[in-house]
Amino acid sequence: MLASGDGVMGLKSLREALKAPTHESLRESFNLSPLTIRRLKSDGKKQEKLRDYKKVNLHRLSMQRHTGSWSYDWRLAFFELKQHYKDDESSISEADLIRQCLHRPISRYYQVRAQDIPRPSVWTTFTFLGYVQDLANSEVTRLMHRHIYKNNTTHEVAVHDMIMSIFADESLEPFMTPQAFHIAFRFFFRHNSTSSVRVLFGLMNSLQIPISTTTFNIMLRGAASRKDLHNFTFLLRVMVGRGLSPNVDTWVSFLAVLNLKIAKLLTVRYIKELGLLQRPAVLKAVVNQIIDIKITNHISSEQDLVAFTTLMDAWYGIDWLSVSAGNHICHILGENGLVSQAVEVLGLMADRGCKPNNVTLHIFLGHCRRLRQPGRAIEVLRLFQSQYGLFPKQDEFDSLFMLAWRNKRVNLCRVIWRVACLQAAVSYRMQELVLRSLLRNTPKEPRTITDLFMKSAGKIIVGIDIGASQLAEKLIEKLSCWAEPGEQRKKSTQLAKSVLARDLDATRHYTLVGDFTELLTQALALDASWDTKEAINTSTLWKIQHAVPMEIKVHPTPNTVRTERWRVGRGRGRVQRERGLIRGLAIRVPPRRNGFLVRKHSVKKPRVLPLRKGIVEKLPD
């Protein structure tokens, strides 16, 4: 068993520690040494100074670039708001209004092409609004893009074109409402398409669709997200010129666009004098904009979290905490080495009815990555999975994989990679690291542990449906041999990419059997036993055969057959497929497509043409 400071524990002790994770046990595990805390605080102060320098320098450069421009002084926008503000305490939000108009919950299409989202059979104002909402809420992950769109475009571009096409259809003009335009505005700002917002805003003017304060607040929020004070002030004056009065949401957007600390604090003081902080939703939104200032002052005072919470309750009441504010606090505390206090924030969020989300999980996994302690990362993952029902997404898988990769834990990388492939959550950085390791073969033997890991890791990680079979042995032999630059190297690269693509396609064929955190625990314990000199010097094939086992099951699909043999040879390779349960390797029989050498005479007896020399055929869906 290695020392706990190395982030590795034995299987038995780790299971006992993770059997019933609580906030208290997690907080105690993050009690760092004074030297580590001093180092992390130093790094946190450097990051804070860098952020402050960037903010001030950005403001100074913008003032110099636009000397004499009235729109780059935050006080002008402040006085415009102060002069024309009108209290508009609406009883219903626009999201609730949309739900009532649709008479159904807002749906979300996942892994569906924008063109395949069903269009209404009869167009009304309600069906038009619902169709725009379905388009804007749809989502396709990075790995599924190449299957759904065939690398021709991205889902965001496809949705953008669909939204613009329906708004450009003159026959649908009678069914367009301000709420539909607002949904489109939010989608365009989220994907940085400001020019499309200008086009639709001009269409609203030409169709004489009512433009309200909410319309301008969406555009002001888009300018605030880019810290564009110039456009913010311009839009504010246009709104006032149209006779529209700013409301509470305009004040919150103004707080978001500000960079200077003193400007934010003065604005919050005036909002408090107006009595707007008595509303819980406004209070949470305002505190979310200044919480980084408050927590930074708390860290400099060197007090505990209880003192900070008491002070915030005295200033703003007990309703100030939100999920976003809690995430800000956890992030800044962890940057300064106070990870144990960040864990206490989780308990505070639970006590006040704020359920952590995947951003919270990503923040804590980032802290574990900075500390280079995979054992604590597993503990964090188990806590979030058991108490909050959260499973990692692409960003969380990326943090876990980078943590395992930098600690040279090959079994941990193997489990994370394969589960991420099954969940279609592999990041581009993960994909590039594994591909480089697959292609890494040198004529000389590796001299250091790092060189040995970089050469063998990718070959141990990949192969979800290959396993430790004879095929794996031949693949490893071909990928490990030195390939001279030229045709031989090109064939080796194509083989590595085909094996990698087969793993990335596994999400459509297989699902995981077993618990993810339990597999991580077994992989960490196995990596600890491989730290001996004898295990380090073993061959790559031995490590594949003795790596942590993972059980998967096949999706029940109608046109699925099993492979009997996948032969790799120096001459003409051939894939021979017959019915039967051989090796559990499922390949769907597709019709003929461009670029694939498959002729489909029938589903039962497909005919496969011979491949080029030395290339392993990959049959995708």
Side-chain angles (χ1 to χ4, degrees):
M1 184 188 304
L2 296 182
S4 59
D6 295 331
V8 179
M9 293 185 287
L11 178 60
K12 183 177 180 180
S13 61
L14 192 57
R15 280 179 176 170
E16 294 176 355
L18 304 182
K19 188 175 182 180
T22 60
H23 296 106
E24 290 75 12
S25 62
L26 188 62
R27 179 177 57 83
E28 292 175 358
S29 68
F30 277 109
N31 288 330
L32 308 177
S33 64
L35 182 62
T36 306
I37 293 177
R38 194 180 306 118
R39 176 177 60 83
L40 293 176
K41 279 187 176 182
S42 177
D43 295 341
K45 289 180 180 179
K46 290 180 181 178
Q47 294 294 331
E48 181 185 353
K49 289 181 180 179
L50 182 60
R51 284 195 299 267
D52 292 342
Y53 172 76
K54 287 182 178 179
K55 291 179 181 179
V56 175
N57 198 37
L58 177 64
H59 178 73
R60 180 179 59 83
L61 290 177
S62 62
M63 292 292 290
Q64 290 178 357
R65 192 180 300 116
H66 302 274
T67 304
S69 178
W70 51 268
S71 61
Y72 274 88
D73 191 345
W74 67 270
R75 294 170 295 182
L76 295 175
F78 177 81
F79 288 123
E80 286 284 345
L81 280 169
K82 186 176 179 181
Q83 181 180 357
H84 298 94
Y85 165 74
K86 183 179 179 180
D87 192 4
D88 182 17
E89 189 175 358
S90 58
S91 59
I92 185 170
S93 66
E94 189 177 36
D96 296 333
L97 180 63
I98 292 174
R99 290 189 184 95
Q100 292 184 10
C101 292
L102 295 178
H103 301 285
R104 64 175 175 84
I106 296 176
S107 59
R108 183 180 293 274
Y109 287 88
Y110 187 68
Q111 314 291 27
V112 178
R113 294 174 71 236
Q115 294 81 359
D116 294 338
I117 296 176
R119 294 170 65 95
S121 56
V122 178
W123 288 102
T124 63
T125 55
F126 296 151
T127 57
F128 184 89
L129 176 64
Y131 183 59
V132 176
Q133 183 76 49
D134 291 341
L135 286 172
N137 283 347
S138 61
E139 182 183 358
V140 173
T141 58
R142 189 187 70 87
L143 287 185
M144 295 302 294
H145 266 99
R146 65 191 184 97
H147 301 298
I148 295 177
Y149 291 102
K150 306 301 178 186
N151 294 328
N152 293 328
T153 184
T154 62
H155 182 67
E156 290 76 17
V157 174
V159 171
H160 172 276
D161 295 341
M162 291 292 294
I163 292 177
M164 293 299 292
S165 65
I166 62 174
F167 277 103
D169 192 348
E170 295 182 358
S171 63
L172 300 178
E173 289 179 359
F175 313 117
M176 298 180 185
T177 58
Q179 288 77 20
F181 279 95
H182 295 168
I183 294 171
F185 285 173
R186 291 189 181 95
F187 175 82
F188 292 149
F189 277 124
R190 190 163 63 245
H191 298 285
N192 198 21
S193 182
T194 311
S195 59
S196 300
V197 176
R198 296 193 187 100
V199 173
L200 290 189
F201 186 75
L203 182 61
M204 289 185 73
N205 276 322
S206 62
L207 296 178
Q208 296 182 353
I209 293 177
I211 297 176
S212 62
T213 304
T214 304
T215 308
F216 276 96
N217 279 337
I218 295 172
M219 294 189 288
L220 289 171
R221 190 68 180 180
S225 64
R226 299 188 304 274
K227 298 292 183 181
D228 190 351
L229 185 58
H230 170 74
N231 279 327
F232 184 93
T233 310
F234 172 76
L235 289 170
L236 182 61
R237 288 207 165 184
V238 172
M239 179 176 69
V240 172
R242 285 174 171 261
L244 300 173
S245 301
N247 58 12
V248 177
D249 294 334
T250 317
W251 279 110
V252 176
S253 299
F254 178 64
L255 274 175
V257 80
L258 294 176
N259 281 320
L260 299 178
K261 183 188 300 185
I262 185 64
K264 282 192 173 186
L265 295 179
L266 289 175
T267 305
V268 172
R269 179 184 298 178
Y270 182 75
I271 293 175
K272 188 175 182 179
E273 291 175 358
L274 293 175
L276 301 178
L277 296 185
Q278 301 299 325
R279 308 172 192 176
V282 179
L283 175 63
K284 293 179 186 294
V286 169
V287 171
N288 188 35
Q289 298 297 329
I290 61 171
I291 192 63
D292 54 343
I293 302 174
K294 299 295 183 180
I295 193 63
T296 303
N297 295 337
H298 158 71
I299 293 174
S300 60
S301 65
E302 297 184 354
Q303 296 181 357
D304 57 0
L305 187 65
V306 177
F308 172 75
T309 307
T310 305
L311 189 61
M312 291 293 292
D313 291 345
W315 284 342
Y316 304 107
I318 61 173
D319 295 328
W320 61 270
L321 185 63
S322 62
V323 179
S324 180
N327 291 340
H328 278 289
I329 296 173
C330 293
H331 175 67
I332 297 176
L333 286 175
E335 272 192 346
N336 290 270
L338 304 175
V339 188
S340 59
Q341 289 193 25
V343 177
E344 293 179 12
V345 176
L346 290 178
L348 179 64
M349 293 171 67
D351 294 340
R352 303 200 177 185
C354 300
K355 182 182 177 181
N357 52 17
N358 276 84
V359 177
T360 320
L361 175 60
H362 179 67
I363 289 171
F364 276 93
L365 291 178
H367 297 332
C368 296
R369 185 180 64 181
R370 292 174 62 234
L371 296 172
R372 304 190 69 169
Q373 295 179 346
R376 291 176 181 175
I378 299 174
E379 189 176 353
V380 167
L381 193 62
R382 189 183 293 267
L383 173 68
F384 276 78
Q385 187 173 346
S386 61
Q387 295 198 7
Y388 308 118
L390 295 175
F391 195 81
K393 295 184 179 180
Q394 179 173 308
D395 292 338
E396 291 76 64
F397 276 115
D398 181 77
S399 293
L400 285 170
F401 189 82
M402 294 307 300
L403 171 63
W405 188 271
R406 290 173 181 173
N407 282 272
K408 301 179 181 59
R409 303 298 176 188
V410 65
N411 283 285
L412 208 56
C413 290
R414 176 187 172 101
V415 172
I416 296 168
W417 167 264
R418 298 189 173 200
V419 176
C421 289
L422 296 175
Q423 298 293 326
V426 177
S427 66
Y428 180 77
R429 180 165 57 171
M430 294 170 59
Q431 184 175 335
E432 284 298 305
L433 284 175
V434 174
L435 180 60
R436 290 177 187 176
S437 180
L438 281 174
L439 296 174
R440 185 156 182 157
N441 46 27
T442 57
K444 298 180 180 179
E445 289 295 326
R447 295 183 178 181
T448 63
I449 297 178
T450 302
D451 292 339
L452 180 62
F453 174 81
M454 292 297 296
K455 182 178 180 179
S456 62
K459 304 169 183 64
I460 301 172
I461 290 170
V462 299
I464 293 178
D465 55 358
I466 297 176
S469 59
Q470 186 179 4
L471 170 63
E473 182 178 354
K474 293 181 179 179
L475 287 174
I476 295 305
E477 181 183 353
K478 282 189 168 292
L479 291 174
S480 299
C481 294
W482 166 248
E484 295 290 342
E487 188 66 25
Q488 187 177 359
R489 187 67 177 175
K490 184 178 179 181
K491 291 179 180 179
S492 178
T493 303
Q494 291 178 354
L495 177 60
K497 289 183 178 180
S498 66
V499 174
L500 187 70
R502 193 178 182 87
D503 272 11
L504 298 178
D505 194 37
T507 181
R508 301 193 298 163
H509 301 292
Y510 306 103
T511 55
L512 178 67
V513 178
D515 183 61
F516 178 44
T517 55
E518 182 64 26
L519 288 172
L520 291 176
T521 305
Q522 297 176 12
L524 189 62
L526 186 59
D527 282 327
S529 64
W530 283 10
D531 281 340
T532 60
K533 186 176 180 180
E534 293 77 10
I536 291 175
N537 294 326
T538 53
S539 64
T540 302
L541 183 61
W542 182 90
K543 292 179 180 179
I544 294 176
Q545 294 172 348
H546 295 82
V548 57
M550 289 184 62
E551 184 180 357
I552 57 176
K553 63 180 180 181
V554 183
H555 287 316
T557 52
N559 295 336
T560 299
V561 295
R562 312 278 180 163
T563 63
E564 181 188 25
R565 186 167 44 177
W566 185 10
R567 189 181 61 177
V568 183
R570 293 174 181 252
R572 292 181 176 270
R574 183 184 297 272
V575 178
Q576 299 179 357
R577 296 176 293 159
E578 296 179 1
R579 287 188 176 275
L581 301 179
I582 307 296
R583 232 181 255 134
L585 188 61
I587 301 177
R588 189 180 299 173
V589 183
R592 179 167 182 167
R593 295 176 182 175
N594 294 332
F596 301 111
L597 301 174
V598 178
R599 290 179 182 169
K600 180 183 175 184
H601 298 283
S602 65
V603 174
K604 294 183 179 180
K605 297 180 180 180
R607 182 183 174 189
V608 183
L609 297 180
L611 302 176
R612 290 177 294 172
K613 291 184 178 181
I615 303 297
V616 179
E617 182 184 32
K618 171 182 167 293
L619 296 175
D621 271 38

